[in-house]
Amino acid sequence: MDRRTTRQSPARPAEQPTRIHAVGPRGRGAHRLIGDALRAAVPGDTVVVDPGRYEEAVVLERRVVLVARQGAGTVVLAAPAGAGPALTVQGPDCLVRSLDIEAADPGEPAVSVAPGAGVVLAHCTVRGGRIEVRGPERAEQDGPGEQDDAQGTSAVLLRHCRLEGARLAALRLSGGARVRAEDTVITTVDGTGVVLSGTARLDAVRLRLESTTGSGIRLRGRSRLRLGDSVLHRTGRAGLLLEDDSRAGADGTRVESAGAAGVQVTGSARAELADCRIGGAGASALVVQDEGRLVARGCTVREPAANGLLATGSARAELTDCRLDDCAFSALHLSGEADGTLTDSRVRGGAEHGVHLAGRARAALTDCAVSGVTMAGVAVTEQSAATVTGCRISAADTGVTVSSPAGSRIAHSTVTATVRSGLEIGPGAKAELVGNRVSGAGAAGILLDTGSEVTVEGGTVEDSAGSGLVVWTGARPVVGGLRIEGAGKNGIYFAQDSGGLLTSCDVVRSAFPALHLAAGAGPRLRRCRVLDCAEVLGGEEGAAPVFEECDLGDRPAPPSAAPAPFGLPAGAPALPPAALAPAGPPPEPAEEHLDDLLAELGTLVGLDRVKHDVHSMVKLMQAVRLRQEAGLPAPPLSRHLVFAGNPGTGKTTVARLYGRLLKALGLLRQGHLVEVDRSALVGEYVGHTGPRTAAAFNRALGGVLFIDEAYSLVPAAGGHDFGLEAVATLVKLMEDHRDDVVVIAAGYPADMARFIGSNPGLSSRFTRTLLFEDYRAADLVAIVEHQAQEHRYELTETARERLLRHFETVPRDAGFGNGRSARQTFQEMTERQAQRMAELGNPTPGQLTALEAEDLPPLG
């Protein structure tokens, strides 16, 4: 008789008690075979199996409990060759606990669950075969973030199970199957770990899947996956593969050492990732193709063998609060007609670009940071376009390079310490540059190449090794309100046959002549100023600039609207043919006087309490220095400080000035500022944080280490965190270098006490806190007025009154940025004023500089 076939038993009368059927291999129980006990059982009975190996194929046709008497590892249910699955479930609400279940062939099912059946497998091991769950097809399917349907239960529940040694797949779901897996391990699969098709659904919590030759989890059809607190490790191909119209949501999951992509989304599939980590992928960490969509929040990508994110076709990717570190290719590469959104995210390190757009791709980057990449921070090529807003790019070869004519916008962003140009607009490219800051470029601050179409509105170029602004042959930009300061070569370099309109621009302290004009250059300059430059004009014969109402320092401006050819001053050395070559090391900064620095402190808007505290500390430090010079012992003095205040209250500005004050007092060698946050100090794995923190600390030796949001190093809920290792490292380094560095810890007032209390060494070193109070409405108006003066605007009296009422009524919620909000308000006012001027057609000089009440942004 086929042992898989059992005779249907009649239902138990309601008054009959539950029976227990014993099974033992030596006949000690009532039954020697599990199948015999199951045939004798009625719904609700329990079959208890003594230790041993049972070679039979059993079928659960009714609601029963099948359990090993002495727990896991004592009972083996092994399918005979050719007999089919060791366990077949055809009835509802069955329970199997603590059994080892073996298939006769690793490519066949060890456990098979029929459509409509249900079983709980608890503390079971399935070896040398798969679990196969088939369900009826469903017309509709819930999304990964929605609740289960009214039926409420899964067809199968795996709890504390282990699946190992299968071929092709370890867990296969088809049709409308429902499976939930809790604390389950899937390992050593010659094929794919989990396969879902049809409208199947898997909810997995604390799943550990490792060592597959194929993908970790593969979704096809309209299947659905929810994955929480899980690990996919050492998969031969993609860690998570979505195809067709499938959906997956993963929360708190790690995908490590995938042989190909960490997560791959194709077809019209969609994946939503939250707080996930993808490390060491053998190809790109995140791949989105065709019409796929990926949404990732709070995720980390580390050391992929290719891109951090690769989006092609018509794919769409949205990344928020994500980190992409040390990518072998560009951190983000979008091509075809892909669309990407990157918000509040960071790219650190990498062998190519930070963000690379090709084809007709589109991307929007907001409040992001890119640092330490080998090529450009953002590269916009072919017919692609980018909108970059409020981003920070540092230590790249080039900050942003645009070679596409599709039109890109770079706004209110900061580019620092690039090897070559800060912002580079290539031949024939089109771009709008608004309110950007370029600092410390190794070559030109801004390079506008041949035939480029560029408008520049506001912004600054500081301390570039080459020229501040280079307008190359044939380029004719429209530039307004740009300030160029401390250029290592010319302030503005106009190449042969270049031109353009420059309005209200300043060139300050350039090492070479402020303006270099090659033969045939004919720019028009209106209301521009040259300040503190040794020479104003240099270049070649045949240039024809036009100056209108310009202030060229001691040199009178040429007649308005008339050609002004000129050459280099007599005896001056010839200029090099290009203005892009990096200059040598900058000269040592001039010594600053203490009284001048205190006067500079006094010019800061508001901050009365902070100013008083700084003055008090300066007097104390002067007394310490006098005692030391007199040979007397110095009183105990901690120079380390806590800056407690909300964002935008001037903490970084005062920290930078504090370092210069200590240098003027002779208490610091350099007085420079090194600004870091948690991401610069805390590593990704054990042994990474200490060296990282030490490297940041060493850069600050002789100056000030400013730790922004220092409280983030200490987890609010307690427990182990690499941030605590960073704190411990800081305490030791502060002791080892107590006289050669000052540490300032900054953050929200309510959170800084938690930081100080996290390590006994901090409370003894941070004994003084400076409280940065929120700016009053009048202070914010003063900040706007200061910004207006810097950029040669003037507020009308009505605008000033309306601005005061604006700041008195603006909500002081979490989005309020104090001084930052004031600066943003000024930028919005200038943009709205520019729109008004465009409508006037031919505005007067007074209209161009006046900010009216109607230029204020609407409240809310």
Side-chain angles (χ1 to χ4, degrees):
M1 182 181 69
D2 188 347
R3 290 174 178 170
R4 292 179 297 159
T5 305
T6 60
R7 184 171 48 84
Q8 180 69 42
S9 299
R12 182 198 315 276
E15 67 276 4
Q16 184 174 348
T18 299
R19 297 183 302 172
I20 296 177
H21 304 268
V23 178
R26 302 180 185 277
R28 293 190 299 269
H31 305 280
R32 296 187 62 182
L33 297 177
I34 297 173
D36 293 341
L38 291 174
R39 282 189 288 274
V42 297
D45 281 357
T46 298
V47 175
V48 180
V49 185
D50 285 338
R53 181 180 180 86
Y54 298 82
E55 295 192 359
E56 55 181 310
V58 302
V59 179
L60 301 181
E61 292 184 316
R62 57 188 67 86
R63 181 173 55 87
V64 296
V65 175
L66 178 60
V67 58
R69 184 186 299 276
Q70 295 185 16
T74 63
V75 173
V76 177
L77 174 60
L87 176 65
T88 300
V89 182
Q90 296 178 347
D93 302 328
C94 300
L95 170 62
V96 179
R97 187 169 65 239
S98 303
L99 266 64
D100 288 5
I101 306 170
E102 296 183 358
D105 184 333
E108 297 297 328
V111 178
S112 176
V113 181
V119 64
V120 175
L121 297 177
H123 299 277
C124 292
T125 296
V126 177
R127 188 177 295 114
R130 66 178 178 271
I131 297 178
E132 183 168 277
V133 185
R134 294 170 290 121
E137 292 290 343
R138 297 170 54 84
E140 296 180 358
Q141 186 71 34
D142 297 333
E146 301 173 5
Q147 298 296 322
D148 285 328
D149 58 25
Q151 296 178 3
T153 59
S154 300
V156 175
L157 172 61
L158 306 177
R159 180 173 289 160
H160 294 283
C161 290
R162 181 180 181 89
L163 286 63
E164 62 182 26
R167 190 171 70 238
L168 303 180
L171 176 62
R172 177 177 289 172
L173 285 62
S174 62
R178 287 284 197 270
V179 174
R180 179 174 174 83
E182 300 173 358
D183 301 290
T184 291
V185 175
I186 299 175
T187 183
T188 320
V189 182
D190 184 11
T192 303
V194 180
V195 177
L196 290 80
S197 62
T199 57
R201 178 167 184 165
L202 171 64
D203 294 345
V205 181
R206 296 177 299 279
L207 171 70
R208 182 174 181 89
L209 186 152
E210 60 183 0
S211 300
T212 67
T213 61
S215 298
I217 302 177
R218 181 182 183 186
L219 285 77
R220 304 182 65 183
R222 291 184 290 120
S223 58
R224 301 292 187 262
L225 169 70
R226 287 193 293 192
L227 203 59
D229 297 324
S230 298
V231 177
L232 309 181
H233 186 217
R234 292 202 311 271
T235 58
R237 302 184 69 181
L240 177 60
L241 173 61
L242 285 77
E243 301 174 290
D244 304 328
D245 192 30
S246 60
R247 301 285 187 270
D251 190 349
T253 292
R254 290 189 294 124
V255 182
E256 299 286 347
S257 303
V263 177
Q264 183 173 355
V265 185
T266 67
S268 57
R270 173 170 177 166
E272 296 187 11
L273 311 179
D275 300 316
C276 294
R277 297 174 62 181
I278 298 93
S284 296
L286 305 172
V287 177
V288 197
Q289 300 169 303
D290 305 323
E291 296 179 355
R293 181 173 180 182
L294 170 71
V295 178
R297 297 181 179 86
C299 296
T300 299
V301 169
R302 177 178 49 81
E303 297 179 349
N307 305 111
L309 167 70
L310 173 63
T312 63
S314 301
R316 182 177 179 186
E318 299 177 17
L319 275 62
T320 304
D321 189 24
C322 293
R323 290 171 52 179
L324 299 93
D325 294 345
D326 300 320
C327 301
F329 294 178
S330 298
L332 292 94
H333 181 96
L334 282 70
S335 63
E337 296 185 353
D339 189 299
T341 302
L342 194 68
T343 305
D344 194 23
S345 297
R346 296 189 178 189
V347 173
R348 294 190 305 181
E352 293 188 355
H353 303 291
V355 178
H356 185 195
L357 307 182
R360 296 182 178 274
R362 297 291 185 268
L365 283 68
T366 305
D367 297 330
C368 296
V370 179
S371 63
V373 295
T374 303
M375 299 174 72
V378 178
V380 186
T381 66
E382 298 180 2
Q383 299 294 318
S384 62
T387 301
V388 180
T389 307
C391 294
R392 304 174 304 283
I393 301 171
S394 62
D397 181 72
T398 304
V400 178
T401 175
V402 179
S403 58
S404 166
S408 294
R409 187 174 194 266
I410 317 300
H412 312 304
S413 297
T414 300
V415 178
T416 59
T418 55
V419 176
R420 298 197 299 171
S421 303
L423 301 175
E424 185 173 311
I425 313 302
K430 184 176 181 181
E432 180 182 6
L433 311 178
V434 180
N436 300 297
R437 175 175 176 256
V438 178
S439 177
I446 301 176
L447 169 60
L448 310 180
D449 214 330
T450 303
S452 58
E453 297 181 32
V454 182
T455 60
V456 180
E457 298 178 16
T460 61
V461 177
E462 305 165 5
D463 303 321
S464 59
S467 297
L469 171 65
V470 175
V471 183
W472 208 243
T473 303
R476 286 172 171 74
V478 177
V479 183
L482 178 66
R483 181 180 177 89
I484 300 169
E485 185 168 353
K489 293 191 181 249
N490 303 108
I492 306 176
Y493 185 101
F494 290 98
Q496 185 176 6
D497 298 326
S498 63
L501 172 64
L502 282 72
T503 306
S504 301
C505 296
D506 291 345
V507 178
V508 184
R509 294 196 305 275
S510 62
F512 285 24
L515 305 174
H516 175 97
L517 291 100
R524 182 181 296 270
L525 293 89
R526 292 177 179 169
R527 295 183 299 280
C528 294
R529 299 187 300 176
V530 173
L531 305 172
D532 301 328
C533 295
E535 297 182 58
V536 175
L537 300 174
E540 306 166 4
E541 296 291 342
V546 176
F547 296 90
E548 300 175 0
E549 303 178 51
C550 293
D551 180 359
L552 303 184
D554 296 333
R555 175 170 182 150
S560 176
F566 58 86
L568 290 171
L575 292 178
L580 300 180
E588 288 293 323
E591 290 294 327
E592 296 183 296
H593 194 275
L594 181 62
D595 292 339
D596 295 334
L597 294 173
L598 291 175
E600 184 177 338
L601 175 67
T603 63
L604 299 180
V605 175
L607 304 177
D608 294 338
R609 182 171 176 176
V610 171
K611 294 174 184 176
H612 177 270
D613 290 344
V614 172
H615 274 277
S616 298
M617 288 187 294
V618 167
K619 291 177 181 178
L620 175 61
M621 291 174 190
Q622 285 176 309
V624 169
R625 189 181 63 179
L626 291 173
R627 288 179 61 88
Q628 289 174 332
E629 291 173 351
L632 298 173
L637 173 67
S638 176
R639 300 175 296 178
H640 309 302
L641 298 173
V642 173
F643 281 10
N646 291 323
T649 49
K651 298 187 292 294
T652 306
T653 300
V654 174
R656 185 173 288 107
L657 190 54
Y658 183 62
R660 294 162 60 198
L661 282 165
L662 293 181
K663 182 178 186 297
L665 286 165
L667 299 177
L668 283 177
R669 291 183 288 111
Q670 294 176 283
H672 65 292
L673 183 82
V674 174
E675 185 177 357
V676 298
D677 56 13
R678 176 186 169 94
S679 65
L681 303 177
V682 178
E684 298 294 326
Y685 47 83
V686 174
H688 194 200
T689 295
R692 201 168 197 166
T693 302
F697 191 93
N698 289 336
R699 292 198 306 273
L701 288 176
V704 176
L705 179 66
F706 182 82
I707 308 174
D708 197 15
E709 298 180 350
Y711 55 83
S712 65
L713 297 174
V714 182
H720 176 73
D721 184 89
F722 287 149
L724 298 177
E725 181 183 348
V727 171
T729 304
L730 284 170
V731 170
K732 182 180 185 306
L733 291 170
M734 290 167 69
E735 177 63 26
D736 294 344
H737 303 276
R738 66 168 67 96
D739 296 326
D740 198 30
V741 75
V742 167
V743 179
I744 296 177
Y748 290 105
D751 294 311
M752 292 309 294
R754 170 163 55 87
F755 169 73
I756 298 300
S758 66
N759 187 299
L762 293 179
S763 58
S764 63
R765 289 167 174 81
F766 290 98
T767 58
R768 184 186 292 268
T769 297
L770 271 61
L771 181 61
F772 287 70
E773 298 173 334
D774 287 344
Y775 286 114
R776 298 168 299 175
D779 295 331
L780 298 172
V781 173
I783 292 173
V784 172
E785 289 192 295
H786 177 72
Q787 290 281 305
Q789 292 171 2
E790 283 277 315
H791 295 83
R792 300 189 67 181
Y793 288 93
E794 185 175 351
L795 272 71
T796 65
E797 189 60 36
T798 303
R800 190 177 294 104
E801 294 173 358
R802 290 275 294 276
L803 186 62
L804 180 62
R805 292 199 298 271
H806 173 84
F807 285 130
E808 286 174 342
T809 56
V810 70
R812 301 273 181 133
D813 53 19
F816 180 70
N818 280 290
R820 184 174 66 245
S821 293
R823 290 186 289 272
Q824 290 172 345
T825 298
F826 169 71
Q827 291 169 356
E828 291 184 54
M829 291 179 70
T830 59
E831 292 174 5
R832 293 167 67 87
Q833 190 249 27
Q835 293 176 358
R836 285 197 302 108
M837 294 302 100
E839 296 172 359
L840 292 179
N842 189 23
T844 66
Q847 289 174 317
L848 285 169
T849 59
L851 295 177
E852 303 283 357
E854 59 193 286
D855 297 325
L856 265 71
L859 185 63

